[in-house]
Amino acid sequence: MRPVPAGPERAKVTGREALTGEGDGGRPEGQQRHVPVMLHRCLDLLAPALTEPGAVVVDCTLGLGGHSEALLTRFPEARLIALDRDKEALRLSGERLAPYGERATLVHAVYDELPEVLDRLGVPRVQGILFDLGVSSMQLDEADRGFAYAQDAPLDMRMDQTTGMSAAEVLNTYAPGELVRILRQYGEEKQAKRIVSAIVREREKEPFSNSARLVELIRDSLPQAAKRTGGNPAKRTFQALRIEVNGELSVLERAIPAAVAALDVGGRIAVLSYHSLEDRLVKQVFAAGAANTAPPGLPVVPEQYQPRLKLLTRGAELPTEEEVAENRRAAPARFRGAQRIREDLR
């Protein structure tokens, strides 16, 4: 959880943002033109909480800094704290956010570590929080990371390559039943048993190391009907492995309640998710915070039982057709927002 200064040697593109590949000579390496997902909606929802001087906004998923840069630009009186577990993302975003100087504090941390980060920085409460979940475009587009099924690469998939098990280790060591559970739960893969049977059979001959072999195995394992719909047949398996390798859902289960607890009264939280399980977790936390907890039958609900959150979106908002046309990685995005309306009373 070491802070990284936003300076020349350090200073977000998140499936979350899509590189266009067009030249932009004024940008640092890897940050040509990009499209942050639902950017204006995120800014508009957070805006009422970030207009006062000294407001603090946290970008819990920095990536290469697209949302962060927009927050710093639109809210010139605000201070940014940005977290990412990926050291390469921190390096590149540090270059991008360098012009904002001390207004931007970048920290190497996973977003469930938010309470510890704020405590160490001496920030008791914040006014805005943004989560842009899922894998970043930088991670998808760098061949050696192993996130993308469209190109051959080592099966790594770790967002922080300095720690944890790789996807190859998961494939080669997990029991068949565990692999089936992961593919079903995290990838919603209906053919999980068929795919896992093929994986187990093949790993006995030779351990998995690269993505192309896994993609070919999945393609050969599925019946023709299953290959005709839903895009690349390896998509769901790769998603499931990524979520398992990075512990994404267990981290999120801790992170969203911690983020709500870190909000000042009047503070706002915005969350972009790209998977039904992520969105369900966010929905549950927000719904619980927006409900009263009084025992049934009370004629008047005491203040300690009143809701502490106000929902700012009706259900999960979707990107517009125009945005999806511009940025195909925005298609699965689901957006929810809430506002802290009272303190917890004990």
Side-chain angles (χ1 to χ4, degrees), residues 13 31 80 114 120 123 126 134 138 141-142 153 172 179 200-201 213 219-220 230 241 256 271 277 319 338 345:
V13 179
Q31 299 176 44
L80 171 79
L114 177 61
R120 194 156 46 80
V123 179
V126 302
M138 181 197 72
D141 295 335
E142 287 190 352
N172 294 326
L179 288 175
V200 172
R201 186 167 57 249
R213 181 179 171 214
R219 198 182 301 275
D220 292 345
L241 287 170
I256 298 298
V271 184
L277 295 176
L345 299 178

Side-chain angles (χ1 to χ4, degrees), residues 125-129 259-265 267-269 309 338 340:
R125 290 293 182 89
V126 302
Q127 287 65 52
I129 297 177
V260 169
L263 280 176
D264 202 358
V265 173
R268 293 180 167 217
I269 179 171
L309 290 181
R340 183 75 179 263

Side-chain angles (χ1 to χ4, degrees), residues 15-313:
R16 301 184 326 215
E17 298 175 45
L19 291 173
T20 67
E22 300 172 19
D24 187 347
R27 293 250 181 236
E29 167 199 357
Q31 299 176 44
Q32 286 75 35
R33 298 185 47 141
H34 61 276
V35 186
V37 172
M38 298 183 75
L39 175 61
H40 296 296
R41 185 67 185 102
C42 292
L43 297 177
D44 289 346
L45 185 136
L46 293 171
L50 299 179
T51 55
E52 295 295 323
V56 178
V57 59
V58 181
D59 186 343
C60 288
T61 46
L62 174 66
L64 289 180
H67 286 100
S68 281
E69 184 178 45
L71 287 164
L72 288 164
T73 301
R74 178 157 171 185
F75 309 109
E77 301 294 329
R79 173 190 173 190
L80 171 79
I81 298 171
L83 283 58
D84 207 290
R85 67 172 82 184
D86 190 322
K87 290 186 175 181
E88 180 64 7
L90 287 165
R91 183 185 72 81
L92 292 171
S93 56
E95 298 172 2
R96 179 178 193 159
L97 302 180
Y100 300 94
E102 294 183 356
R103 290 181 58 210
T105 302
L106 279 52
V107 184
H108 182 223
V110 187
Y111 42 75
D112 66 337
E113 298 175 296
L114 177 61
E116 292 87 348
V117 170
L118 295 180
D119 182 64
R120 194 156 46 80
L121 294 175
V123 179
R125 290 293 182 89
V126 302
Q127 287 65 52
I129 297 177
L130 172 66
F131 285 87
D132 185 13
L133 303 169
V135 64
S136 75
S137 289
M138 181 197 72
Q139 292 160 340
L140 285 171
D141 295 335
E142 287 190 352
D144 62 350
R145 304 299 289 270
F147 287 99
Y149 41 79
Q151 51 191 340
D152 191 25
L155 277 167
D156 193 314
M157 298 194 192
R158 291 173 297 169
M159 293 178 181
D160 181 349
Q161 292 186 297
T162 66
T163 186
M165 294 180 70
S166 69
E169 291 175 284
V170 170
L171 282 174
N172 294 326
T173 64
Y174 274 32
E178 273 297 283
L179 288 175
V180 170
R181 179 191 66 80
I182 290 165
L183 265 59
R184 283 179 174 168
Q185 183 175 351
Y186 300 157
E188 299 173 301
E189 175 55 75
K190 297 178 181 178
Q191 305 291 334
K193 278 191 173 181
R194 187 188 294 260
I195 292 171
V196 169
S197 293
I199 288 171
V200 172
R201 186 167 57 249
E202 285 299 311
R203 75 185 186 185
E204 290 176 355
K205 301 175 185 176
E206 181 183 351
F208 284 90
S209 60
N210 277 52
S211 58
R213 181 179 171 214
L214 178 60
V215 171
E216 183 179 5
L217 177 146
I218 293 168
R219 198 182 301 275
D220 292 345
S221 301
L222 298 181
Q224 287 300 319
K227 290 188 280 191
R228 285 196 290 266
T229 59
N232 192 304
K235 176 175 65 176
R236 291 176 293 275
T237 296
F238 272 63
Q239 173 181 279
L241 287 170
R242 189 203 82 219
I243 291 173
E244 172 66 16
V245 165
N246 295 288
E248 292 176 38
L249 292 176
S250 58
V251 169
L252 190 62
E253 281 183 312
R254 297 186 294 270
I256 298 298
V260 169
L263 280 176
D264 202 358
V265 173
R268 293 180 167 217
I269 179 171
V271 184
L272 281 162
S273 57
Y274 300 84
H275 185 282
S276 60
L277 295 176
E278 292 174 340
D279 182 56
R280 190 178 308 152
L281 284 172
V282 177
K283 176 184 177 181
Q284 289 170 349
V285 174
F286 284 7
N292 81 65
T293 57
L298 291 182
V300 177
V301 178
E303 187 177 356
Q304 65 263 35
Y305 298 126
Q306 295 282 357
R308 60 175 178 157
L309 290 181
K310 174 186 176 183
L311 301 183
L312 300 176
T313 51

